[in-house]
Every structure is written in C-alpha cells, then in structure tokens.
Amino acid sequence: MKFERKDILGLQDLSTEEIKLVLDTAEPMKEILAREIKKVPTLRGRSVVTLFYEPSTRTRTSFELAAKYLSADTASISVATSSVQKGESLRDTAKTIEVMGADTIIIRHSVSGAPHFLARMVNARVINAGDGAHEHPTQALLDMFTIREKKGRLAGLKVAILGDITHSRVARSNIWGLTKMGAEVRVVGPPTLMPPFIQDLGVKAFYRCEEGLENVDVINVLRVQLERQQKGLFPSIREYTRLFGLDETKLRYAKPDVLVLHPGPVNRGIEISPEIQDGPHSAINEQVTNGVAVRMALLYLLMSGGEVHEIAS
Amino acid sequence: MVPLQEKAQILDAEGIRRALTRIAHEILEKNKGTQDLVLIGIRRRGVPLAQRIAAKIKEIEGTAVPLGILDITLYRDDLSRLGYHPVIRKTEVPFSITDKKVVLVDDVLFTGRTVRAALDALMDLGRPQLIQLAVLVDRGHRELPIRADFVGKNVPTSQREIISVHLQEVDGIDKVVIDEPID
C-alpha cells in the first residue's frame, strides 16, 4: 500500500486503511525495541527536528529515540532557549530549520492548527505532536496500538474516555481514531468539562461514572490539566477526585478484565488512584514503550518512501 | 505490473525435494553435525525452505535445530528509491545467535543485495561464529561479492528473465519456473 501523505496532522483525516497500516507497522518496530542492539539503518542520512513550544517529557523523548533507533539524525529545539524569545515567528523558525536540512519537523504548539499552518509553509514533512486542545495523533495511535495488543481487536469494543474532555487533544484524536476503527466510544466527565455538541463526533456523553463506565472494555483516563483550570470549572480537586477519579469502587462498573490507560503525566491520586495506576489492569508503562514503536512506524512510513513532490506554497 | 509468460520449468516438486535433501546432507557434512547449528530463513520464501531443511536434518540426525525468521525490509539499500512502502513483518529469532553456526536460507540468489541486508540484520542480533548461505536457485548476475555455500540448482539466466519459486506453503504448489515479460 502507498502511504502518500506528506504530513501527519491528525486522525480526523486519516483513513481506516492508513491507521491499520501504522498499527501493523508498529508491531515489527516493537520487536526492535526488545533487542539488545536497538538500531536499524533504515533512515540513515535523514534528519528529524523536534520543535516544542510546550513542555513535554515522553512525547519528545519518544520521538527522538524513535528517530535514533531508525538511524536518523536528530536535533531538538527548546523554545525557551531559542530565537523565539527574540520575537522570531513560527514560520521563520521553521524555515530556518528546513534550510538547515531537516527532512521532518515534529511540532508541539499551544495553538490549535499551528502544525497545519507549518505544513503549508515548508517542504519538510510535519508531524503534529499536540496542538492546543485540537489533536494529538501519535498519542491516540499508541493508545489504539495498546488496546489492539491487549484485546486483540478494536472493532466492537466499548471504550470510555474519562475526565476533562474539553481541553483534551488526546480525547479528540482518540474519538476520531477509535470510532473509525469500529469501537464504541463514550466520554465521561463533569458537564463543565464536556464540550457542547460532543455527540456530533459519534460518541455518547455521560456525566456520572456509574453509567459511563458500565460494562466498558477500556477506560482511558485523562490528566486533569491543572494548568488550564484557572476558570474554576470544578469546585475543588478533592471533589473532582471523589466524583471522577478512577478508584477501585468505580472500576467495578466496568468489565472484570477492563484495560486502564492514561496518556501521562499522571497526577498521582487525583484522576487515578495509585492502586489502579500500578495495578494489574493498568498498561500505562507499556503505553510509553508502544509510543516509541508507533512513532518509529510513522517515521518509517513518512520518510522511507520516495521524495516529497508537493511544493509548499 | 508487466505481464509474464512461463518460459520453462526448471524444478518440479520432486526436484525441489531432492535439492533440499542434498542441501541438508551438505550442511551436516560441512558443519560436522548439528552442534551449535541454527537455521534462519529470509522472509518470505526462505522461511518454508528453512523449515523443510530443518525437518530433513531432524530426519537424518534425529535432532531439532533452532529455526529463526528474518525480515530484511528495514535493512534494504533501496528504500529511498521506492515509491511505495514495503510491508514490514516481524523478525522472529527467539534464541541467541552469538557463537552459533548460522545457515541463512533464501529461495533465489540474484544480485546479492538481499543477502547483504540479511548479513547486516544478523550482525545486529548477535555475533555468530560463522554464517553460511543456502539457496534453492542461484541465477547469477551478482552486484556484490557474495556467494552461496549450498545451492539447489544453478540456473544461468538473462537479466530480463525472472525466476519464480512457488512453494506449497505460500503458493499451493511446488515448482520453480523461468518467466519472461510478454513484449
């Protein structure tokens, strides 16, 4: 199959065939991660630059290791110490990176749509590593990979996404990806953290864990984005934890073999209790490993084929 | 895809069976038995061939040799020239190849580039004592200094001819034919 995309900007516009190809390609990539020598020469001579306007540990490191394991050269630009501080625009920063020879730019930005803007500006390939509250496609792909690995399939599964849906790019990418792959997706959270018209995305909304988590195969717990909670969208952290924090009592509503995911970083004891975070249902650590495999698959699919022929405007 | 026509059959099921039996005997003779011996088939048709050779060796010696599967896609030297993405499958070598006598098995030896990629892939898995190469057909036209230790059949070919190996496990029939493009 041809993977003809120049960029990976979101799951909203990826087809089921493309998603399946990424997940299938990630499987042999995971085998490489288990080897003593975690390196193959596939992307030798290619270069990848990460450009992060927001802090990140796992996504950025995961992309960098994925690129290195495929033998690409990597550089990372931290906005705090770059010329962005001198007022350089996103377009000019990206052009500068491109003319230094970067084949792929991986960007995280607090503004939704920033990667899309960049993709139109540069000939280099662009991967969205999270844009505002819009999409986080690689996180959703690694979530789907983990679910498929643990449950053997995606179609027909009941998946609950629990927490702050409004501010979550992870939730949006998961909704688009999982519904495309045939899963039944529910969103569960307080009404103040639920965007209006969320049902239009093909999901059911629940405001109580008792109903929302009933009989589900997977619970994807979202981080309470404390940095985005200045508007007082819930009375207190304690109340949120009591009503929506995943603990042993709430877990009982789900199927006995329920799989628990969390995109990290975890606010320990707030959105998920430590017993569940470290317990037998949790695949939180495996998600991190799978993230490297999925990003290797994406870099392979984007960068190993023929040249990019589209000329950016 | 250019349409092909069959020009000649060079091996039938019986011919393939005999060739693999001979290769199994030669492997045992050259390596003085099965001590430290492992077989590794290159995906795709090298895998059933390696399985058959392993079965022959078991028949002759009574010992099972470890069998691995190698996918060399990530080691190809032409990935950037291709306009498509070869599907990657898993490499499954569930044992250490360090200090082992590795016999690499493939269906056709042609330019040598696949074997070059396989050698690189093996080196990333460990440090074998030695690596030998077994192929069902050697058709010539090497582009790299690589030769096979065990050959089922040498078939001199022209560049435009194509050797098609059909195996029961993959294609439902055992035969090796020379195809050529229809002009």
Side-chain angles (χ1 to χ4, degrees):
Chain A
M1 173 184 168
K2 260 188 166 177
F3 195 84
E4 286 183 315
R5 293 190 176 269
K6 171 181 168 285
D7 315 292
I8 298 289
L9 301 176
L11 290 194
Q12 192 178 7
D13 61 346
L14 277 193
S15 70
T16 48
E17 290 76 27
E18 287 169 317
I19 293 173
K20 187 171 178 300
L21 179 65
V22 174
L23 302 184
D24 289 347
T25 308
E27 278 184 34
M29 295 301 181
K30 193 171 177 183
E31 180 267 318
I32 294 168
L33 296 180
R35 292 184 193 174
E36 205 172 311
I37 301 172
K38 292 184 271 295
K39 207 167 183 75
V40 292
T42 315
L43 296 183
R44 209 172 44 169
R46 303 300 182 96
S47 53
V48 174
V49 173
T50 57
L51 174 62
F52 275 49
Y53 284 79
E54 283 188 328
S56 161
T57 308
R58 66 202 70 213
T59 305
R60 183 191 202 127
T61 313
S62 179
F63 266 116
E64 281 182 23
L65 287 178
K68 284 177 203 277
Y69 293 158
L70 292 172
S71 297
D73 295 309
T74 61
S76 64
I77 291 164
S78 173
V79 165
T81 55
S82 76
S83 287
V84 173
Q85 299 305 324
K86 301 178 190 166
E88 189 174 53
S89 70
L90 169 60
R91 181 184 184 278
D92 288 343
T93 304
K95 271 285 173 198
T96 305
I97 297 169
E98 183 177 52
V99 294
M100 284 179 185
D103 297 299
T104 297
I105 300 172
I106 295 159
I107 178 172
R108 165 167 291 188
H109 205 287
S110 57
V111 175
S112 300
H116 304 69
F117 167 77
L118 195 60
R120 289 195 299 274
M121 290 298 152
V122 294
N123 285 304
R125 295 170 184 280
V126 174
I127 300 180
N128 179 1
D131 62 326
H134 179 224
E135 281 232 45
H136 193 346
T138 56
Q139 177 68 42
L141 286 165
L142 78 87
D143 290 343
M144 288 195 275
F145 181 82
T146 309
I147 297 170
R148 197 179 74 163
E149 189 179 51
K150 294 281 176 189
K151 296 287 179 189
R153 68 197 161 100
L154 290 167
L157 291 180
K158 285 192 178 77
V159 182
I161 303 173
L162 171 64
D164 177 357
I165 310 296
T166 300
H167 297 103
S168 176
R169 51 194 174 212
V170 175
R172 267 168 203 74
S173 288
N174 261 285
I175 290 169
W176 278 312
L178 284 164
T179 50
K180 267 181 199 168
M181 301 308 280
E184 180 193 316
V185 181
R186 302 160 169 207
V187 286
V188 189
T192 48
L193 296 178
M194 193 71 77
F197 309 113
I198 186 78
Q199 294 86 346
D200 294 353
L201 298 183
V203 299
K204 288 183 201 158
F206 294 86
Y207 304 103
R208 285 160 55 88
C209 283
E210 290 90 326
E211 296 157 4
L213 301 184
E214 192 186 351
N215 223 14
V216 296
D217 299 280
V218 181
I219 304 172
N220 199 346
V221 186
L222 300 176
R223 184 171 69 87
V224 174
Q225 301 188 26
L226 299 168
E227 71 275 21
R228 296 189 220 265
Q229 300 297 346
Q230 306 310 319
K231 294 176 196 154
L233 293 170
F234 50 82
S236 71
I237 295 281
R238 247 177 94 184
E239 182 178 308
Y240 180 90
T241 301
R242 189 166 57 79
L243 294 174
F244 294 99
L246 189 65
D247 55 19
E248 297 285 356
T249 318
K250 297 191 192 81
L251 197 69
R252 278 189 217 118
Y253 302 124
K255 284 191 180 158
D257 62 345
V258 64
L259 176 70
V260 176
L261 305 178
H262 189 301
V266 176
N267 295 305
R268 221 166 230 278
I270 295 178
E271 65 263 6
I272 187 167
S273 73
E275 297 75 46
I276 295 179
Q277 185 182 341
D278 304 324
H281 295 285
S282 161
I284 297 173
N285 286 334
E286 280 163 273
Q287 280 177 277
V288 180
T289 307
N290 291 343
V292 181
V294 164
R295 290 174 179 119
M296 285 170 81
L298 274 179
L299 291 173
Y300 164 74
L301 290 171
L302 272 187
M303 297 177 74
S304 72
E307 297 300 309
V308 181
H309 292 300
E310 301 107 294
I311 300 298
S313 55
Chain B
M1 199 74 176
V2 186
L4 300 173
Q5 66 180 5
E6 191 175 313
K7 189 180 172 191
Q9 179 164 316
I10 46 179
L11 283 173
D12 59 7
E14 192 51 30
I16 293 175
R17 193 191 62 78
R18 279 202 205 99
L20 295 178
T21 306
R22 184 168 45 74
I23 288 175
H25 279 286
E26 286 175 4
I27 289 172
L28 289 171
E29 193 179 333
K30 187 160 183 169
N31 294 290
K32 300 181 178 65
T34 57
Q35 181 73 34
D36 294 330
L37 195 65
V38 302
L39 294 183
I40 291 183
I42 300 177
R43 281 193 199 272
R44 176 170 186 212
R45 289 180 179 74
V47 177
L49 290 173
Q51 286 164 339
R52 292 191 200 183
I53 294 170
K56 292 277 177 207
I57 288 176
K58 179 135 197 252
E59 222 175 278
I60 302 162
E61 289 285 286
T63 45
V65 292
L67 192 68
I69 297 172
L70 201 61
D71 184 281
I72 53 109
T73 315
L74 294 168
Y75 291 82
R76 286 172 65 149
D77 58 7
D78 59 352
L79 275 178
S80 60
R81 294 171 166 216
L82 299 174
Y84 64 95
H85 296 89
V87 174
I88 312 172
R89 296 204 161 76
K90 260 190 198 165
T91 286
E92 294 168 43
V93 183
F95 46 82
S96 167
I97 61 165
T98 298
D99 297 331
K100 294 285 189 278
K101 297 173 184 172
V102 176
V103 179
L104 199 57
V105 184
D106 204 3
D107 55 351
V108 179
L109 179 55
F110 181 26
T111 61
R113 288 176 191 266
T114 300
V115 175
R116 196 278 312 161
L119 292 173
D120 279 355
L122 281 179
M123 294 303 179
D124 279 354
L125 294 178
R127 189 180 185 282
Q129 187 187 133
L130 57 85
I131 302 173
Q132 296 163 347
L133 176 64
V135 295
L136 185 60
V137 177
D138 183 347
R139 63 167 291 190
H141 304 290
R142 216 77 79 236
E143 293 169 6
L144 297 170
I146 282 169
R147 63 165 186 80
D149 299 87
F150 314 103
V151 180
K153 196 171 177 65
N154 282 297
V155 184
T157 55
S158 77
Q159 280 277 14
R160 70 190 297 271
E161 289 169 336
I162 291 160
I163 299 282
S164 300
V165 174
H166 302 261
L167 295 175
Q168 195 75 40
E169 298 88 333
V170 182
D171 315 285
I173 188 172
D174 273 352
K175 65 174 182 177
V176 180
V177 296
I178 300 180
D179 288 327
E180 63 180 0
I182 302 168
D183 295 321

